Amino acid sequence: MSNAPTEARAREPSKPDESDTYQSETLLSKSARGATFLVGLQVGSRALTFVVNQILLRYLSPELLAISTQLELYSITSLYFARESLRVALQRQRKGVEARKPERHGPKEETTTTSEAEAYASARRAQEAVNLSYLAMLLGAPLTLILAKVYKRRAEAAVLDTPYFQASVEVYVAATLLELLIEPCHVVAQQQMLYGTRALAETSATFTRCIVTCAIAVWSSRDLGVLPFAAGQLSYACMLNIIYYSKLWPIATQSGYSLMIRSLDQSSNPNVFSLFPKRLLNLAVTLYAQSGLKHLLTQGDSILIATLASLNSQGTYALASNYGSLLARVLFQPIEESSRGVFGGLLAQDSTLRPKNVQSAKRYLSILLRSYNLLSVFIISVGPTLAPICLRYVAGPRWSSTSAGEVLAVYCYYVPLLAINGILEAFVSAAATPAELRKQSMWMFAFSAGFVGAGFVSLRVYDLGAKGLVFANAVNMGMRILWSWRFVKTYFQREGVDLTIREFLPTWGTTSSGFGTAWYLNVMKKSFDGTWRDLLQCLVIGGVYGILL
């Protein structure tokens, strides 16, 4: 193994100059462009997935949709526990010039220029990220196999009797292992803000998955169960590998680092086994438990309903939650992911510019929260009436007799909580110290207990079905928001910056108009006759209110 570029001696602190200010502004502008890329990616991929799903829903029963959701949960869980804590830790990697070109000796000795030092620092950081990504693969491979075995053992008889179920699980295992192989490319693309490469890879992979899934399901002459979904997932993983490695391998070679694991020089920051930066590795270990609890809370509804509800109820909830969380996946998730990078870049830099960076972080957070709150007023006002009508047209007659529409209406009240919690927890993950993250993990454990309790009461005591599960999720999300808000407010107070809730709450006029719109739509709903005129009336009222808002 060859050595990656050596690290440089830390530069002496200096007074803020235009270059420092420019770097801070560049970070914000790049992150803004990155968020735009990611939102565009999500819109395109979700739009394509949406069209394909409308076709598949004509061929799927609630039971098959429930099993496909369980397999997707298995894959997501394997990948999340393998890589999430490492990804979050790498977003807090220091951005300063930390490496320098080795000194030259002899008659042609030259000093290292700033541009050379920055190039070596960038290569060093990239190699650190690549090396850490191999830990995700090392951890993910056995975890994927173990979870698959556990899932097959605990599956219900109705699930095991599904045609080609065993083959579908094996294909999902292969797809998950293949997706882990792209981790070195993903962390480099994220670190160096190669959003175009990422958009190309994920869009191409999503398109391939949709075509493969739809083609097999529609044109097959026999019942294949959930095998079309498994084949689609395998094609998705293969395409990700093809695009990522073909694009990033030449970049890595030209920039002086490798997408294979390499030893790191011990001359500066301490490393573990000469491979992994100790500070980032310790942070990843600290984040692991917290990330695990966060995943259990995020996917807890799927886990809980898979445990306590029938396959039919699981399929109904899966349909409603997929449509209900569409906005969260398309808009909120990319902004949350980009914001973690913004907050991490601004707050991880210890320099004379820190007061300015803290103010920039506060301004960025306030703008997002204010925008989310305005959007939330619109969703709560229009969504509960409009969403069930839209579902009637897009999901087809097979699903009109289920309670999916009622669940989707209730889900509209939950979406704003997803948005607010996402951006607050992005700030916490970027700004909290290891001790504070451990404290958050303890609180998340308490929140998970509260969620399970609320879910049990809703599903077993009051028999509220999928609607009760939405309520349990809302209780859990509310507790997480309160904890994160308390952390954010305390953090800014320590930095001498005041942040009040009044800065981003909607005005009384906005809130009142929202209540009025919701009341009018609820009254008008009593006269609906089940025709296209119902949809048209809601769209007109919602459009006018959205423009006024």
Side-chain angles (χ1 to χ4, degrees):
M1 291 186 295
S2 59
N3 289 336
T6 57
E7 292 202 25
R9 293 181 291 267
R11 291 184 295 177
E12 295 180 358
S14 58
K15 64 180 181 179
D17 54 24
E18 293 183 359
S19 64
D20 291 327
T21 305
Y22 175 75
Q23 288 179 3
S24 178
E25 292 174 350
T26 299
L27 175 64
L28 288 172
S29 62
K30 281 186 177 180
S31 297
R33 288 197 300 271
T36 303
F37 255 120
L38 294 179
V39 170
L41 165 65
Q42 289 290 338
V43 170
S45 63
R46 294 299 174 184
L48 181 60
T49 305
F50 180 83
V51 172
V52 173
N53 282 344
Q54 304 325 299
I55 300 174
L56 291 176
L57 284 173
R58 268 68 179 174
Y59 298 86
L60 284 179
S61 65
E63 289 77 13
L64 278 181
L65 181 59
I67 297 172
S68 69
T69 302
Q70 290 178 5
L71 286 170
E72 183 181 8
L73 175 63
Y74 151 73
S75 180
I76 291 173
T77 300
S78 301
L79 293 170
Y80 193 96
F81 277 101
R83 68 193 185 186
E84 183 65 17
S85 63
L86 289 166
R87 286 185 175 185
V88 176
L90 285 170
Q91 287 178 331
R92 299 176 67 167
Q93 193 177 23
R94 293 194 177 101
K95 302 295 193 294
V97 179
E98 299 171 349
R100 61 181 175 86
K101 189 176 179 180
E103 295 180 0
R104 303 174 184 171
H105 300 282
K108 294 185 178 181
E109 180 177 344
E110 301 175 11
T111 57
T112 303
T113 64
T114 301
S115 60
E116 288 175 327
E118 289 176 347
Y120 271 77
S122 177
R124 168 69 182 227
R125 291 194 301 271
Q127 193 63 57
E128 290 177 349
V130 168
N131 287 1
L132 283 171
S133 71
Y134 277 82
L135 292 178
M137 290 188 275
L138 184 65
L139 176 64
L143 183 63
T144 299
L145 298 174
I146 291 171
L147 288 179
K149 191 171 184 178
V150 171
Y151 172 58
K152 287 190 289 186
R153 277 190 176 184
R154 297 182 63 85
E156 301 176 21
V159 175
L160 294 173
D161 292 339
T162 303
Y164 299 98
F165 172 74
Q166 297 290 343
S168 299
V169 174
E170 299 303 324
V171 174
Y172 257 95
V173 169
T176 304
L177 293 175
L178 276 175
E179 193 167 345
L180 282 171
L181 294 180
I182 61 112
E183 199 59 19
C185 298
H186 181 277
V187 295
V188 169
Q190 184 69 20
Q191 181 196 67
Q192 300 186 2
M193 298 185 178
L194 302 176
Y195 295 112
T197 299
R198 181 177 170 185
L200 175 64
E202 296 191 14
T203 302
S204 302
T206 301
F207 178 78
T208 304
R209 177 173 58 190
C210 291
I211 295 301
V212 170
T213 304
C214 194
I216 295 177
V218 173
W219 284 299
S220 175
S221 59
R222 50 183 172 174
D223 183 11
L224 297 178
V226 292
L227 190 58
F229 291 93
Q233 191 65 24
L234 183 62
S235 67
Y236 174 85
C238 290
M239 185 58 67
L240 279 180
N241 276 273
I242 292 171
I243 300 294
Y244 263 128
Y245 277 100
S246 64
K247 289 293 183 180
L248 286 177
W249 196 278
I251 294 176
T253 302
Q254 183 179 2
S255 301
Y257 61 92
S258 173
L259 293 177
M260 305 299 291
I261 193 168
R262 281 184 175 181
S263 63
L264 301 170
D265 197 300
Q266 292 276 15
S267 61
S268 184
N269 292 338
N271 303 311
V272 177
F273 302 125
S274 298
L275 294 173
F276 312 111
K278 186 175 181 180
R279 186 185 72 86
L280 292 177
L281 187 60
N282 289 339
L283 180 60
V285 172
T286 300
L287 287 167
Y288 191 82
Q290 190 255 359
S291 298
L293 284 172
K294 182 178 179 181
H295 176 72
L296 292 176
L297 289 173
T298 302
Q299 299 294 333
D301 56 348
S302 301
I303 298 172
L304 198 63
I305 198 170
T307 304
L308 300 178
S310 65
L311 281 178
N312 187 280
S313 296
Q314 291 179 46
T316 300
Y317 178 78
L319 180 73
S321 63
N322 280 338
Y323 284 121
S325 61
L326 192 62
L327 182 63
R329 295 194 302 269
V330 170
L331 180 63
F332 302 147
Q333 182 180 337
I335 292 177
E336 176 185 343
E337 187 175 330
S338 178
S339 296
R340 277 204 303 260
V342 173
F343 295 136
L346 289 173
L347 303 176
Q349 298 175 6
D350 294 324
S351 68
T352 52
L353 268 181
R354 181 169 180 80
K356 179 180 176 62
N357 289 342
V358 171
Q359 286 286 353
S360 298
K362 179 209 168 182
R363 184 170 64 253
Y364 184 83
L365 178 64
S366 297
I367 290 173
L368 283 179
L369 288 175
R370 187 161 58 248
S371 302
Y372 279 5
N373 282 324
L374 286 174
L375 184 59
S376 298
V377 173
F378 178 81
I379 293 171
I380 292 174
S381 302
V382 179
T385 302
L386 178 61
I389 298 176
C390 293
L391 183 66
R392 192 165 65 224
Y393 286 95
V394 299
R398 182 191 288 262
W399 295 88
S400 60
S401 60
T402 69
S403 60
E406 298 176 13
V407 178
L408 186 58
V410 176
Y411 206 96
C412 290
Y413 296 102
Y414 173 60
V415 171
L417 298 178
L418 282 173
I420 301 299
N421 179 73
I423 194 62
L424 289 178
E425 288 195 349
F427 184 93
V428 173
S429 66
T433 63
E436 289 169 331
L437 289 173
R438 286 192 293 270
K439 184 177 180 181
Q440 185 191 28
S441 298
M442 296 300 296
W443 276 103
M444 280 198 168
F445 182 78
F447 299 156
S448 64
F451 167 71
V452 171
F456 181 83
V457 171
S458 300
L459 292 172
R460 287 291 174 89
V461 178
Y462 290 101
D463 196 22
L464 296 177
K467 288 187 287 186
L469 195 56
V470 177
F471 168 75
N473 270 316
V475 172
N476 162 49
M477 202 62 63
M479 291 187 294
R480 290 167 64 178
I481 288 173
L482 289 176
W483 191 94
S484 297
W485 169 248
R486 183 175 177 275
F487 172 87
V488 170
K489 190 171 178 62
T490 303
Y491 180 90
F492 281 115
Q493 284 177 344
R494 287 201 308 260
E495 298 290 338
V497 177
D498 188 35
L499 178 67
T500 63
I501 197 170
R502 291 191 301 272
E503 295 182 41
F504 44 82
L505 282 180
T507 63
W508 281 109
T510 300
T511 305
S512 300
S513 62
F515 278 118
T517 303
W519 172 81
Y520 182 74
L521 285 172
N522 193 52
V523 171
M524 191 175 65
K525 184 167 62 175
K526 299 175 182 178
S527 62
F528 286 169
D529 55 8
T531 65
W532 60 269
R533 285 189 294 270
D534 302 343
L535 178 62
L536 182 61
Q537 291 179 69
C538 289
L539 288 175
V540 170
I541 294 172
V544 171
Y545 177 61
I547 293 173
L548 294 176
L549 186 63

